[in-house]
């Protein structure tokens, strides 16, 4: 008879409007069988780290027209990527004890029915496991594919990155440096600005909350204009960037965190610069670049080993801390990649 | 002794705010010598047709930061492209009687100091001369380069064109048909909508002024979404297009006529679709494609000859009518390419 354990889980209580509150989520306790159902190819995992990412918030709102990821369903567990240990497996490619990363639930144990399409072995165990929620996981490949495949940087380009100490942008900034670009980041606190300059090696950085006039702040950092803007925030920052773009410049739309809690998004007014300066903007979803994960992982592991890329993580401890950690992304509480340590081993 | 003639000209009286009024321009009479200055390589031309284009309005406002074309200077003649007859020439490539097109003044006679960089011989005199202000001139190559080089259409693409009966878009729609695309246009009157469907062969068209809800109107025309949006208006139409784009769709930003008279441009709110649908937007200036004029002219002449491209022109008669013709672009008065016949020969 298979062991049955109690399983604490974070469920979405109701669809969210505006800034999410802890009350929009609920901790519940279910029972989970640690063995896979007889004859199935599923695996059961113990969740070690779960990732907190801005797009999770978008899934908490009901979209009348289906968006690129399904909305969560109230009453069901929140899902996102994480790092897990296999507890039991009915799939030949996984065995108990394997360390994996991929899509899981915000809970202690998760039954994964189609492991081949959603979880991956951890290949570089020389790094902290948590890196697979960040620099070696989705944020890492998002930065890598977004910067190299969409932004297509050249040596000497002037690169601006917003939300620059966040999970994706901290990597983008360092990849820009590796490419020989001049890179400036914006962030929401002096602590983060300091981190950008000292830890991540950005050439310059500024605290956008302290600037009376964003367009001027950007101009001060880029007197000759911007070749590539890697946009994670949208809204007012995007509007202030547009007049500062160089002719032929490229905007890579990766995320728009400033907009996710607004029922009516901010209007961006400076779009005529697209014509006047022959600008390009391209949005992307990392799912398009799934096929390049292996190449990315190998290259990024090299950068990490050589110290050319470093990362800063912000750990929330315990599943109970997950709702507040998610909300903190939108108030700027996290410093670096936000994740939740559900269990240390 | 060279002949001196009186020369009526349209000058900019003052920088314009909001919708231009006739009073922002002034008719003055100067004297012009019909012979080129001794020893110069200039030409003197008699202006036959002058072109009225939306970007002329943009040059009537003072820009603190220089834009892609210089602002006009109050007290000086308005300049734009036109069709001209050479009256006298100090340049070996031009002689009296030559028909040319290129940059000239809104006046009866113009002294052109650097003819090689601003005027061109008319190669296809089988077509009405006025075509060199439209389908064989700047609007034509703007449509051709913008659609083929920037939009990069494929057969079967769903193409949406705004300001669709205008000088550029009427050509874009017909090039889309030639490419085997499905093409829908929006315009501001039932007369124009009728023209789109009957004269230019658009598959469908609608009068945006009669639609309560633009996003829904576009959805009605494109139940499967839009692959290419050729944008000449910006603002609310662009905002309504974004949710209707297909994944991976392309927006070509050619102009934003809805915004040129606004001191504060409209805000566009639906930009998150760039991420969610992996959209691309690219702006362009036709000057980038100067080098392809000859190829364009030859190809377009072929389409005109075969009847695959037709054009509709709206003539204002006499220089006195020029200010009102320009203003009419922004109130939708013109039906088709607006130009001014300064002299018939």
């Amino acid at each position: 008879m298979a062991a049955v354990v109690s399983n604490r889980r974070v469920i979405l209580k109701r669809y969210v409007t505006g800034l999410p509150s802890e009350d929009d989520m609920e901790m519940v306790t279910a029972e989970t069988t640690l063995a896979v159902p007889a004859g199935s190819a599923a695996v059961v995992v113990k969740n070690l780290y779960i990732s907190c990412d801005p797009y999770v918030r978008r899934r908490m709102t009901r979209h009348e027209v289906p968006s690129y990821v399904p909305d969560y369903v109230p009453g069901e567990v929140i899902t996102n990527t994480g790092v897990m240990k296999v507890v039991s497996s009915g799939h030949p490619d996984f065995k108990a004890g394997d360390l994996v990363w991929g899509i899981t639930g915000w809970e202690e144990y998760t039954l994964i029915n189609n492991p081949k399409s959603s979880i991956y072995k951890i290949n570089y165990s020389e790094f902290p496991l948590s890196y697979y929620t960040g620099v070696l996981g989705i944020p890492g490949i998002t930065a890598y594919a977004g910067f190299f495949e969409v932004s297509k940087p050249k040596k000497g380009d002037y690169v601006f990155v917003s939300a620059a100490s966040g999970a994706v942008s901290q990597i983008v900034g360092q990849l820009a440096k590796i490419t020989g670009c001049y890179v400036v980041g914006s962030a929401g606190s002096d602590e983060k600005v300091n981190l950008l300059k000292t830890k991540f090696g950005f050439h310059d950085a500024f605290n956008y909350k302290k600037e009376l006039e964003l367009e001027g702040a950007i101009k001060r950092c880029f007197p000759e204009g911007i070749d590539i803007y890697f946009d994670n925030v949208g809204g007012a920052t995007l509007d202030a960037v547009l007049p500062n773009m160089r002719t032929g410049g490229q905007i890579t739309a990766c995320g728009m965190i400033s907009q996710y809690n607004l029922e009516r998004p901010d209007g961006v007014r400076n779009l005529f610069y697209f014509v006047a300066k022959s600008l390009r903007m391209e949005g992307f979803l990392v799912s398009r670049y799934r096929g390049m994960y292996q190449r990315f992982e190998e290259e990024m592991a090299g950068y990490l080993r050589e110290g050319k890329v470093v990362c800063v993580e912000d750990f929330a401890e315990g599943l109970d801390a997950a709702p507040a950690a998610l909300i903190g992304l939108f108030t700027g509480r996290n410093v670096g990649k936000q994740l939740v340590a559900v269990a240390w081993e």
Side-chain angles (χ1 to χ4, degrees), chain A:
Chain A
M1 180 106 180
V4 172
V5 292
S6 93
N7 187 13
R8 286 166 51 70
R9 14 175 40 198
V10 184
I11 64 163
L12 180 67
K13 206 154 99 190
R14 55 172 163 255
Y15 285 122
V16 173
T17 309
L19 181 68
S21 73
E22 293 196 46
D23 203 40
D24 291 326
M25 292 162 265
E26 191 170 20
M27 300 296 305
V28 299
T29 302
E31 292 202 324
T32 287
T33 305
L34 291 186
V36 294
S40 90
V43 303
V44 173
V45 297
K46 181 182 186 191
N47 294 306
L48 306 182
Y49 300 103
I50 56 175
S51 182
C52 281
D53 303 295
Y55 90 105
V56 166
R57 161 65 186 88
R58 283 189 58 83
R59 301 182 65 183
M60 293 180 161
T61 296
R62 197 175 158 275
H63 292 85
E64 303 222 354
V65 178
S67 190
Y68 64 101
V69 279
D71 303 333
Y72 296 129
V73 177
E76 294 193 2
V77 70
I78 291 168
T79 56
N80 192 19
T81 57
V83 171
M84 304 84 85
K85 187 157 80 177
V86 175
V87 173
S88 66
S89 173
H91 194 288
D93 290 357
F94 300 97
K95 62 178 194 299
D98 279 353
L99 291 167
V100 296
W101 75 277
I103 296 168
T104 191
W106 284 24
E107 57 193 345
E108 292 175 283
Y109 298 93
T110 302
L111 171 70
I112 296 173
N113 281 310
N114 298 299
K116 278 310 270 185
S117 63
S118 62
I119 65 174
Y120 311 92
K121 290 263 183 65
I122 283 184
N123 294 318
Y124 292 86
S125 54
E126 67 194 274
F127 303 115
L129 285 177
S130 56
Y131 280 21
Y132 279 87
T133 67
V135 62
L136 290 170
I138 298 297
I141 188 171
T142 300
Y144 180 87
F147 190 60
F148 289 127
E149 301 295 316
V150 184
S151 303
K152 296 193 173 74
K154 296 183 307 294
K155 190 179 170 186
D157 276 352
Y158 292 94
V159 175
F160 179 52
V161 185
S162 53
S165 68
V168 172
S169 294
Q170 60 174 247
I171 311 299
V172 170
Q174 295 175 89
L175 296 177
K177 281 210 66 178
I178 289 169
T179 310
C181 302
Y182 180 84
V183 59
V184 178
S186 64
S189 75
D190 291 346
E191 179 189 3
K192 293 176 188 179
V193 166
N194 187 49
L195 203 62
L196 292 173
K197 292 187 191 173
T198 57
K199 179 100 181 169
F200 298 125
F202 281 57
H203 295 95
D204 203 353
F206 66 89
N207 178 350
Y208 73 89
K209 289 183 180 164
K210 279 192 166 171
E211 297 291 342
L212 288 175
E213 209 268 294
L214 262 179
E215 189 179 323
I218 297 167
K219 194 175 183 57
R220 191 180 69 223
C221 294
F222 292 100
E224 297 185 65
I226 297 168
D227 294 297
I228 292 173
Y229 172 42
F230 197 95
D231 188 9
N232 268 302
V233 304
T237 302
L238 175 56
D239 224 355
V241 160
L242 287 164
N244 282 298
M245 292 297 291
R246 297 179 95 171
T247 294
Q250 156 80 30
I251 296 169
T252 302
C254 176
M256 298 195 173
I257 192 172
S258 73
Q259 306 297 300
Y260 297 167
N261 299 316
L262 304 178
E263 286 187 71
R264 190 180 190 220
D266 292 328
V268 171
R269 298 179 190 278
N270 285 322
L271 297 178
F272 187 74
Y273 285 98
F274 274 91
V275 179
K277 295 194 170 196
S278 300
L279 304 182
R280 259 179 315 132
M281 178 153 84
E282 183 167 354
F284 76 103
L285 296 172
V286 65
S287 49
R288 202 206 301 181
Y289 300 101
R290 205 184 298 243
M292 76 195 303
Y293 179 77
Q294 205 175 352
R295 182 179 114 199
F296 149 76
E297 188 188 25
E298 196 180 317
E299 191 172 324
M300 189 58 79
Y303 293 143
L304 289 167
R305 221 175 274 131
E306 298 161 31
K308 285 188 180 166
V309 170
V310 296
C311 57
V312 171
E313 300 174 308
D314 192 329
F315 289 86
E317 289 200 36
L319 208 50
D320 293 285
L326 177 70
I327 296 161
L329 294 175
F330 298 96
T331 58
R333 204 186 71 166
N334 60 307
V335 177
K337 162 65 196 166
Q338 180 69 59
L339 67 161
V340 178
V342 182
W344 293 102
E345 59 176 358

